[in-house]
Amino acid sequence: MAFVEFADVSKIYQMGEVEVAAVRDMSFEIEQGEFVVIVGPSGAGKTTLLNMLGGMDSATSGTIMLDGAPVSSFNRKQLTQYRRHDIGFVFQFYNLVQNLTARENVELASQICRDPLDADAVLAAVGLSERKANFPGQLSGGEQQRVAIARALAKNPKLLLCDEPTGALDYETGKAILKLLQDTCRDTGRTVVVVTHNSAFTAIADRVIHVREGSVASVELNEHPLSAE
Ligand code: ADP
Ligand code: ADP
């Protein structure tokens, strides 16, 4: 059994009389330790897919498994535990707590989970040792995203999910963030999934899942992915 399995997953939104299928009969697999890019145009269902995988949204039908656990059958309490312990999230706009320092933002995440990593160690891993006493407003966009990545990693999650993590950054800064995510995956063996509409990112992935109109259009495996630099 693969580390992540989506089997015939659909997500239907009811808009009054009209049904909108954000995701339709989607099936794919991800192996443990892979660096995965999910790519597709705006509206293709990427965020919906990621939110279901992260336990933030429930599927209308189909089966989602992570590491042998039936995520799509979890009750509310199990989903809370799953989001808290098993998944690290990175968003486009960082979502940091503005009145806490970088270090406090990272510690916040480690306080709620079972087996946290040391805050100073993860801040060092993302290259922010010198900046941990700064508040988000004192940091550049790229630095804020590094804090967000450190916060997600501090939970020591099974899966790191990133939704358009470079979407608010300039080209060079975005590239550095992708490199950090790729290094995190390679150096620690952690499974990392990045959603993007930018097809330029696909060459750096072990696995590329192309999404179109709510379905998987194709899956590409790169035996020798490029380094993100
Ligand atoms: P992407 O992340 O690829 O841009 P989304 O997953 O955000 O795509 O959206 C996929 C489709 O589902 C879009 O047509 C979008 O309008 C629709 N959709 C997403 N969320 C909702 C919602 N809460 N209610 C109704 N339709 C939604
Ligand atoms: P970027 O090119 O990533 O947008 P900036 O030009 O915004 O970066 O910032 C460059 C450097 O200046 C960064 O190291 C950042 O932490 C620092 N910096 C930016 N704004 C402030 C601030 N208000 N207080 C302290 N340091 C700041």
Side-chain angles (χ1 to χ4, degrees):
M1 179 183 280
F3 188 61
V4 171
E5 291 192 359
F6 260 55
D8 297 323
V9 174
S10 295
K11 177 70 185 184
I12 314 290
Y13 290 106
Q14 196 73 42
M15 308 282 282
E17 300 283 288
V18 184
E19 289 190 341
V20 178
V23 165
R24 192 198 313 267
D25 295 330
M26 189 180 273
S27 300
F28 63 84
E29 297 184 345
I30 292 171
E31 298 297 343
Q32 188 155 20
E34 282 182 340
F35 187 69
V36 180
V37 167
I38 295 175
V39 69
S42 180
K46 303 182 298 295
T47 295
T48 304
L49 181 176
L50 207 68
N51 288 346
M52 290 191 288
L53 180 54
M56 294 193 288
D57 206 347
S58 58
T60 308
S61 61
T63 309
I64 300 171
M65 306 281 290
L66 175 78
D67 199 13
V71 176
S72 47
S73 317
F74 282 169
N75 62 30
R76 193 176 282 268
K77 192 173 169 209
Q78 288 170 311
L79 280 175
T80 304
Q81 295 296 312
Y82 173 74
R83 284 194 301 268
R84 185 173 295 173
H85 298 295
D86 295 330
I87 306 294
F89 295 101
V90 174
F91 304 98
Q92 180 173 359
F93 295 110
Y94 330 127
N95 295 15
L96 300 174
V97 183
Q98 294 298 316
N99 61 350
L100 298 180
T101 65
R103 190 169 194 283
E104 287 166 345
N105 266 281
V106 174
E107 284 170 337
L108 199 62
S110 39
Q111 276 163 16
I112 61 163
C113 61
R114 274 186 297 256
D115 186 21
L117 301 176
D118 178 63
D120 292 319
V122 284
L123 281 160
V126 302
L128 276 189
S129 292
E130 308 298 314
R131 292 238 156 234
K132 56 194 173 197
N134 286 83
F135 292 93
Q138 302 171 316
L139 299 172
S140 71
E143 289 169 331
Q144 290 184 64
Q145 193 61 299
R146 284 172 194 273
V147 177
I149 292 168
R151 179 182 60 183
L153 291 174
K155 294 163 71 175
N156 198 7
K158 288 184 175 171
L159 196 54
L160 185 63
L161 301 181
C162 315
D163 196 353
E164 300 277 4
T166 68
L169 302 174
D170 62 58
Y171 177 73
E172 288 299 327
T173 310
K175 231 167 47 168
I177 291 297
L178 283 176
K179 170 134 177 45
L180 173 63
L181 292 170
Q182 190 185 44
D183 288 347
T184 297
C185 178
R186 290 211 173 136
D187 298 347
T188 66
R190 199 181 300 282
T191 312
V192 177
V193 179
V194 176
V195 156
T196 181
H197 64 272
N198 189 344
S199 52
F201 297 167
T202 56
I204 64 170
D206 299 311
R207 182 185 297 263
V208 184
I209 300 173
H210 295 266
V211 175
R212 203 143 293 146
E213 294 175 9
S215 301
V216 173
S218 62
V219 177
E220 240 178 287
L221 294 178
N222 288 329
E223 224 168 297
H224 302 289
L226 294 182
S227 183
E229 54 195 340

